[in-house]
Structure formats: structure tokens, C-alpha cells
Amino acid sequence: MTGTGGRPSIYPTLLYADAKAAIRQLTEAFGFTELSVYEAQDGTVMHAELVQGRGAVMIGSQGRGGLFDSAMRGAGPAGVYVVVDDVDAHHQRAVEHGAEILMPPTDQDYGSRDYLARDAEGNIWSFGTYAPEIGG
């Protein structure tokens, strides 16, 4: 699922102890597409952008230095919700790549179908069909 044009106005930003492994898991198990990855000479991921549908997430390595890295030190896991068209197929892909599933695809009272997964560093990823219209 690649971006469909336009520019997202919100980018969840996550720092990982092993950002390269996180990028692999997000692309292989969860179907994100790499938009850009910038590494330092030592292989530290300074900045990466991964796309899913019309949204994107920014990824970086912990301990890379700078104000944002310092501000994020000690931050707990984050939770991110991602809209997908086919929850069951997306879930199957995640399972096939060994993702830890916390809740299988489930129909919700509010009309969405969702599943919950945890990435290798403890962040919670929700994938589902909930996509409210946002006024312009």
C-alpha cells in the first residue's frame, strides 16, 4: 500500500534501539513502504519515513543525539492507529512475518474491524477500517 498523493498533516515519530529492524518489521509484516531512509556513516538511522495509505510515520535510532532524541529519552511505547482496506489480509501478512498479535481481527460496536499488534520494541499498532471524515 503506497501513498496516494498529498501530504499528511500528522506524522507519528518513533525512536527505536534497532531502527533498521523496526523498518524491516514495519515494511515486511505491516506493509509499510519506505519513502526515505537517511543513515549516518556508522549505520545509525538519522531519519526515515515510511508510508501506509495516505499517512506516514517517521522512524529514527535512539541515541543519535540532538534535542528530539534527548526529549524522547525515557518515553514509553507509543500507540499508532493505521487505516487499512482489508484487515484480514493485513493481519494474515503480519502473522506470516511473526508479528505479536494482541487481538485478532474483531468487529467493533462502532462499525470498524480492527486488530492489534506489538512491534519488537513494545509499540502498539492498531490496524483497522475506522476512518472518520475530517472536515476541511
Side-chain angles (χ1 to χ4, degrees):
M1 296 182 183
T2 58
T4 58
R7 295 175 189 244
S9 61
I10 297 175
Y11 287 88
T13 304
L14 304 168
L15 298 182
Y16 288 88
D18 188 343
K20 288 181 181 179
I23 291 168
R24 269 191 311 279
Q25 182 180 38
L26 291 170
T27 56
E28 293 174 5
F30 298 144
F32 282 79
T33 301
E34 285 184 23
L35 182 62
S36 61
V37 177
Y38 302 97
E39 295 181 12
Q41 287 184 337
D42 66 358
T44 299
V45 177
M46 298 304 291
H47 177 81
E49 294 176 14
L50 307 179
V51 176
Q52 175 73 264
R54 291 180 303 204
V57 62
M58 294 181 185
I59 303 293
S61 294
Q62 293 174 343
R64 66 177 202 246
L67 180 59
F68 187 76
D69 183 52
S70 295
M72 290 290 289
R73 190 170 300 124
V80 179
Y81 189 92
V82 180
V83 176
V84 296
D85 292 327
D86 187 336
V87 172
D88 294 284
H90 195 276
H91 169 261
Q92 185 59 39
R93 176 183 180 149
V95 168
E96 289 170 1
H97 284 88
E100 179 185 355
I101 304 300
L102 303 176
M103 180 185 79
T106 304
D107 292 326
Q108 303 298 333
D109 292 341
Y110 48 88
S112 183
R113 183 163 178 78
D114 306 324
Y115 81 93
L116 222 59
R118 184 187 328 266
D119 72 21
E121 294 196 20
N123 297 296
I124 305 302
W125 293 86
S126 302
F127 298 95
T129 59
Y130 180 72
E133 283 292 323
I134 298 174

